[in-house]
Amino acid sequence: MRYFIWFSYDGTNYHGWQVQPNGVTVQSELERCLSLLLRETITVTGAGRTDAGVHARQMAAHFDTDAVFEAPLIVKKLNGLLSHDISVDRIETVATDMHARFSAVSRTYHYYIHTHKDPFVRQYSQEIHYILDFELMNEAGRILQEYEDFGAFCKAGSDVKTTICHVTHAQWHQTSPRAWYFEITANRFLRNMVRAVVGTLIEVGRGRMSLDEFRLVIEGKQRTQAGESMPAKALFLEKVEY
């Protein structure tokens, strides 16, 4: 049987999603606890990868097992075993050809910023000290949707077969007089892409890059021409859709 598991996590204390030899990851913790409960070695395949320090409000993964179990009971036991910063919402049976990564049609990320010192949001939002033109940044966000090749925002040295992504939404939203978040939806994302996009949009918002220059960055497909990669702590995988 194939199962989908839906969960969320605070990525602060993890070396990202994917299993690594020299660090604790969300995937390794989920596999450890599932294997313990189901009494067999369980391997989970996630909807995507998040880097060290990145969070997820909604993440999906699939795993296969012949074990017979009551999903609500396993969810309860998993939440008892897992650390406080990983929470399982539900487990459900799916068709055997459903794939957590390849069957997903879109992913949505949020990146949070605030423009004043605030000790209560600093762990999950990036403090910005510049005056930003959010209207101009949203114009740049609309420009993103005109392109498909985002090599300019892909981390150098990434082992990817293609840098083609289909961005369907890219917009800044204001949540208070001094707090904003950037929302971006696409069928797939490149490694470090959202943080690089946000860093480049902030260059536009600061008046250090024009919209025409922003287009040239995208068309140039060179990571060195784009803005800096923003800190991971303010990035959330918000939603995965199938």
Side-chain angles (χ1 to χ4, degrees):
M1 295 286 291
R2 174 156 293 185
Y3 295 87
F4 259 42
I5 180 168
W6 298 86
F7 55 100
S8 57
Y9 55 86
D10 177 334
T12 303
N13 297 320
Y14 297 95
H15 292 264
W17 157 256
Q18 190 174 17
V19 169
Q20 297 180 22
N22 300 315
V24 178
T25 68
V26 179
Q27 182 184 17
S28 65
E29 284 301 285
L30 199 57
E31 289 180 345
R32 179 183 66 82
C33 293
L34 275 170
S35 298
L36 183 64
L37 288 174
L38 299 180
R39 299 181 181 182
E40 63 177 285
T41 300
I42 298 293
T43 300
V44 299
T45 300
R49 301 175 184 176
T50 54
D51 292 334
V54 175
H55 320 290
R57 285 193 215 279
Q58 185 205 71
M59 177 63 144
H62 76 253
F63 65 93
D64 298 327
T65 179
D66 292 325
V68 177
F69 61 87
E70 294 181 22
L73 181 59
I74 291 296
V75 168
K76 182 178 180 179
K77 289 184 176 181
L78 269 176
N79 282 325
L81 280 176
L82 288 163
S83 174
H84 67 279
D85 46 19
I86 303 175
S87 175
V88 176
D89 178 52
R90 68 187 188 275
I91 297 175
E92 56 193 9
T93 56
V94 296
T96 55
D97 61 349
M98 276 289 290
H99 194 285
R101 179 182 174 190
F102 299 124
S103 297
V105 296
S106 72
R107 287 101 169 151
T108 297
Y109 280 89
H110 286 181
Y111 193 92
Y112 293 84
I113 67 170
H114 56 286
T115 56
H116 66 298
K117 187 175 182 180
D118 187 338
F120 302 108
V121 300
R122 62 186 174 81
Q123 187 173 351
Y124 304 109
S125 178
Q126 180 62 28
E127 187 173 335
I128 300 292
H129 302 284
Y130 320 116
I131 295 174
L132 297 174
D133 185 335
F134 286 95
E135 184 176 340
L136 195 63
M137 291 159 70
N138 274 335
E139 286 188 50
R142 289 189 285 273
I143 288 173
L144 282 172
Q145 298 170 64
E146 299 175 18
Y147 292 87
E148 292 186 336
D149 194 329
F150 293 99
F153 306 116
C154 183
K155 186 172 183 178
S158 295
D159 183 21
V160 292
K161 295 180 179 178
T162 176
T163 51
I164 300 297
C165 305
H166 301 291
V167 175
T168 55
H169 180 78
Q171 185 177 2
W172 288 91
H173 301 273
Q174 188 171 17
T175 57
S176 77
R178 295 183 290 183
W180 300 73
Y181 71 88
F182 177 62
E183 181 175 57
I184 184 168
T185 301
N187 66 321
R188 64 188 291 264
F189 287 91
L190 307 171
R191 187 178 180 190
N192 209 225
M193 177 175 164
V194 180
R195 291 157 61 194
V197 166
V198 172
T200 310
L201 290 176
I202 285 177
E203 291 293 290
V204 173
R206 293 178 66 185
R208 295 173 49 161
M209 182 183 294
S210 69
L211 293 178
D212 287 338
E213 290 170 332
F214 184 70
R215 285 185 181 275
L216 290 175
V217 167
I218 300 172
E219 293 169 2
K221 305 174 186 177
Q222 298 298 312
R223 179 66 188 91
T224 54
Q225 300 303 310
E228 67 174 317
S229 178
M230 299 295 288
K233 68 176 184 178
L235 181 59
F236 287 73
L237 172 60
E238 193 73 18
K239 182 171 56 178
V240 183
E241 294 187 300
Y242 293 87

